[in-house]
Amino acid sequence: MAVDILIGLQWGDEGKGKIVDVLAPTYDIVARFQGGPNAGHTLEFEGTKHVLHQIPSGIFHPHIQNIIGNGVVLDPIVFRIEMQKLQDRGVDASQNLFISKKTSLILPSHKMLDRVSEEALGTGKIGSTLKGIGPTYQDKIGRVGLRVGDILADDFQDRYNKLVDRHRKTVEFYGQSLDLGEQEQIFFEAVEYLRTLKLVDSEYMINDALKNGKRVLAEGAQGSLLDVDFGTYPFVTSSTTLVAGACTGLGVAPRHIGEVYGIFKAYCTRVGSGPFPTELLDEVGDQIRKSGNEFGSTTGRPRRCGWVDLPTLKYSIMLNGVTQLNMMKADVLTEFDTIKVCTHYKLASGEITDRLPHSLDTETMEPIYEELLGWKVDLNQIDTVEALPEAFNNYMTFLEQHLEVPITIASVGPDRKSTLRREKVSI
Ligand code: IMP
Ligand code: MG
């Protein structure tokens, strides 16, 4: 069997958690392959909202094996709290959760490094979630990081001390001192807890599963425009958020990739700094933020809001080889008489293009919009595709024609039942 991959096509927060939850029942394994506690995947069912940060979204289905892959950066402290929260809601994740021994560990000092590095950037700051993501990936690539498998070694404490010493020097370089307080003790308690769980060689587990005809879903975090290579650098996260990241983040060969689900919102949001060509700084943006409850599920920060942007979506679709599109949160746009869609940009030189310039952060990019009629119907009450209003179908057809990939799921409300499946037609 193949590995299907679910990817965010914008700047994260597209609603990936919801789609994994809907698709999960047909899979045997759900695996996370990059990112860490910077992610916040929201799932809502039976009237309760669940936010997952590091644990894969298949965890609510006992028959699914959930894997935290080697490409992830794992914070044991956050992880322990997450497991406890699940336990409090009657979900025992300890049996169907597997963690790769090659997963990188986020130390308390990584979070401190994240903070001092952001402070030093001043107005040029990335707007990081300050969860220690960047510094942990730096240590991984710098070949000095610690991994989950290391906690099983007798000299783990020594290795930890050595790495923290390096961090201390870096923090001092920034003119601050490394004071971790009680965080170290909490970290070691969380590591103790981690030792009791299923720590595995997940690359073998996944490849064995594929050989045995099992279905695997890889769950992306963040979004394609936050990818370290192709995103709006330097305002990106530190991992490969694209489909390619699933190969290295799980140990899956490219030829095993099957369907690629590209998730996007019917509009667009971004948290943190960096370019956002269709951002709305007016009351329309405020209205989207309010109706869509666009506040970060990890940091609580208000999200920047804007119209949907086709050049960036085309770019993400190209880089990921998307085979199916899933459009989320269309109900948020219900109030508008007309809805704008950015099809091209006008650059400072006067050139009109639907391609992204290299210097997205300094280039003047004026979005060129087409305006479509709104649907003005409360989509929350709709539970079949046949009942969707014509103006809404026209909006989807317009996007499909530009993006050249079919929209197979339209989500029109937060609940599981508001997830409408459309036939996969060729475009
Ligand atoms: P970091 O990954 O915490 O270092 O943050 C880098 C950038 O990515 C910042 O702009 C964050 O706001 C953004 N970011 C990181 N994770 C997410 C996410 O899961 N959703 C949306 N934005 C994110
Ligand atoms: Mg999120």
Side-chain angles (χ1 to χ4, degrees), residues 180-199:
L180 299 172
E182 60 183 5
Q183 285 301 303
E184 283 201 301
Q185 192 198 330
I186 299 172
F187 174 79
F188 277 98
E189 282 167 12
V191 163
E192 204 54 52
Y193 169 69
L194 200 54
R195 280 198 189 105
T196 66
L197 297 179
K198 295 179 175 170
L199 312 182

Side-chain angles (χ1 to χ4, degrees), residues 341-352:
V341 177
C342 168
T343 59
H344 294 82
Y345 309 122
K346 185 172 176 192
L347 306 182
S349 63
E351 184 195 345
I352 294 186

